[in-house]
Amino acid sequence: MQLLALALYHRDGRPTPRVVRFRPGALNILTGESETGKSEVLDIVDYCLGRSTPNLPDEPIDQTVGWYALLVTFRDDSRMLLARPRPTGASTTHAMIRTGDETLDLPRADELKQNSNVAALRSELSARLGIEDFRFQPPTGAARASFDVSIAQAALLCFQNQNEIADKKALFHRQTENGIAQAIKDTLPYFLGAAGPEQALRRYHLGEAQRAQRAAQRKLDDARRHQASVDASGLALLRLAQSEGLLDEVPAAPSAEQIRALLEHALTVTAMTVGPADLRDRRQALSEERRAFREQLQDLDEALAVVERWKQQGKAFTGELHLQLGRLKSLHLLGPERDADTSICPMCTRPLEEPDPTAADITLLTERLTDELEQAQTLQPVRDEHRRALQSEREAVVERLRVNGAQLRELAASDERMRDLQEQHLRIARVQGRIDQALTAGTGSSAGDIGRLHNDLTLAQENVETLQALIDEDDVTAETERRLTDIAANMTRWAKRLNLGQAAAADEVAISLSQLNVVLRRPLGRLPLNRIGSAKNWIGYHLVAHLALHTYFRLHNRPVPGFLMLDQPTQAFFPEKIRDATTVQDADWATVTAYFALLRDVADLNEGALQIIVCDHANLTDEEWFQDALVENWRPVDGNRQALIPTDWLD
């Protein structure tokens, strides 16, 4: 896969996009002044290839651009359009995909529509590149998670921004970000051809087999511990059952089968009768009799209370009658007044509305009250007799309760043995309950079950050993090192060509997979890049490493994009805040020219299979081949500023 064109579409929907076109299979140089957008080209291409967390600057790109589009081509001349809308937050997954033949080109602004997402874009790109569909499985016990191998990892080998290309501690794109270095270590053997889906599948199966082995070991250990616990607790239960009389004799060291048989026998023993039946019946009879006496006593108390209330009410009634009769006796003192007219007021002689009762009426009432008083006085002796009968009956019941209580206390005093038997019965019941629980819990932990679990563990161990042997035969590490050694041949030759520091004395310049950096192998020992001074050397070793790596990819048709993007590879030769490198007269232009000449020669060496895109300040105006490689020159023309974002977009 190589790049044909990069397009930026204005947010206001202008029909004409800003397009940067590239030549496949050749060196492409994009040069210009500072702050013209050269470094952003790499970030935009990375974003179009499916990066979900863009690293695009806010001004002026993000403020003017609404869509980014990348047109790519493949070895079979098919093309693919990868478009992404302007991200609206820290991450985005929206995308647009088009596929076609060599006639496919950039779309119009009104044709940009979201029809896919990042996952589908990466999947399609991975398939077109030939990346096999498999999931990388980390080694057993590794803390990191598995992941699908895709363009996401392959693209890390295709970019070097201006900070990365001069980094003495890291060699690859985004290597210092969390998890990226490990992802490169995990997938570089695959992209080199030292490992494939078969090894990943075997490693996955090995991990599953090792988990199964650990599970089988845990089950066997648990069963053995459980069986030992059951045997110990079973022997203790046997001793306890023997002490309670459930078993006659228990061997000193019984086997597991004997323990289980004796415990099962202890469950069948019926507890002895707990005390004489007559004592139990007598206690029950006395208790029922006591309840009856208490109920009878309560009834008698209630009856006596009623009689007492009657007595008090009778006394009040007869007392009132005596009082009223005493008052009415004065009627006997009347003479002729008895026959007076009671309908006329004796004071004013006027008729009364309600006539007063006559003396005869009052005399009649007095006689009736006298009769009632005599009747009430005749009832009082009857009531007194009834109360005395109730009190006598109550005293008899109280005496019976006293006798009953004495009998119960006497029965309780002679019932000590009965309580002892009851306690023994409860102890026996508890022991048998524990035996039943132990036998139930012990199910599944027999010798036969332990034997089966041991066989399962043996099979799991044999499976692990078989898979481990297959993985050891693959020896991915050794194969990766062999291929890195092949790559080191070009790295060593090109490092000496550029006269990089310590290269002349080195036997080999190579990539260390463990360090993910360049190392020099010398007679005095290995020398890592971070121990070599000068940004010129750091950049130079980055160049030779990535050029040799991609040359190997192209030679062996590996599923890695066929382009390498480099940002500011000559930054070490110019002032830190340079505006235009062409204005610097005292720079080491010979070395700058040598760097670009190496890029040109490596592109030619790969015969169209490798595309190199360089964004840089330098412009070698005296070198015809350099001018032929220019795709954009962002320097003022007739006073008009040239940059990634057109001037009229900023108005």
Side-chain angles (χ1 to χ4, degrees), residues 87-148:
T88 57
S91 64
T92 179
T93 60
H94 301 302
M96 172 184 173
I97 302 176
R98 276 187 181 177
T99 58
D101 55 18
E102 64 274 9
T103 62
L104 179 67
D105 206 349
L106 295 169
R108 301 189 308 271
D110 58 356
E111 295 178 322
L112 294 170
K113 304 292 182 184
Q114 297 178 15
N115 64 1
S116 186
N117 55 40
V118 168
L121 183 150
R122 287 179 173 176
S123 178
E124 182 70 19
L125 274 177
S126 300
R128 292 295 187 94
L129 284 170
I131 297 177
E132 295 162 288
D133 185 14
F134 74 99
R135 190 169 184 82
F136 178 81
Q137 298 294 336
T140 303
R144 59 190 186 277
S146 59
F147 59 88
D148 294 321

Side-chain angles (χ1 to χ4, degrees), residues 491-563:
M491 290 179 61
T492 305
R493 182 168 63 254
W494 293 337
K496 292 181 178 181
R497 169 178 167 174
L498 296 179
N499 195 27
L500 299 178
Q502 305 294 329
D507 295 333
E508 183 181 68
V509 179
I511 296 173
S512 169
L513 182 61
S514 61
Q515 299 180 22
L516 290 185
N517 208 344
V518 174
V519 295
L520 279 65
R521 295 184 175 91
R522 309 172 301 166
L524 297 177
R526 292 161 57 96
L527 183 67
L529 182 60
N530 60 357
R531 293 182 58 195
I532 301 175
S534 174
K536 165 193 168 182
N537 291 321
W538 303 336
I539 294 173
Y541 280 115
H542 274 249
L543 285 178
V544 299
H546 286 281
L547 291 173
L549 194 60
H550 277 269
T551 298
Y552 183 89
F553 290 151
R554 303 285 65 84
L555 179 63
H556 294 85
N557 295 319
R558 297 307 302 159
V560 177
F563 71 87

Side-chain angles (χ1 to χ4, degrees), residues 341-356:
D341 189 357
T342 59
S343 62
I344 298 174
C345 177
M347 299 294 296
C348 63
T349 67
R350 302 175 82 177
L352 297 174
E353 292 182 3
E354 294 292 337
D356 291 334

Side-chain angles (χ1 to χ4, degrees), residues 1 3 5-7 45 47-50 67-72 74 80-84 95-99 104 106 121-122 124-125:
M1 183 187 82
L3 312 185
L6 176 66
V45 172
Y47 176 58
C48 290
L49 291 179
W67 277 81
Y68 304 91
L70 184 66
L71 185 65
V72 301
F74 298 91
M80 190 173 179
L81 174 73
L82 313 170
R84 303 284 304 279
M96 172 184 173
I97 302 176
R98 276 187 181 177
T99 58
L104 179 67
L106 295 169
L121 183 150
R122 287 179 173 176
E124 182 70 19
L125 274 177

Side-chain angles (χ1 to χ4, degrees), residues 49 91 107 127 214 289 344 352 358 394 455 535 584:
L49 291 179
S91 64
R214 290 193 295 271
E289 183 183 53
I344 298 174
L352 297 174
T358 64
R394 184 182 184 281
N455 291 335
V584 180

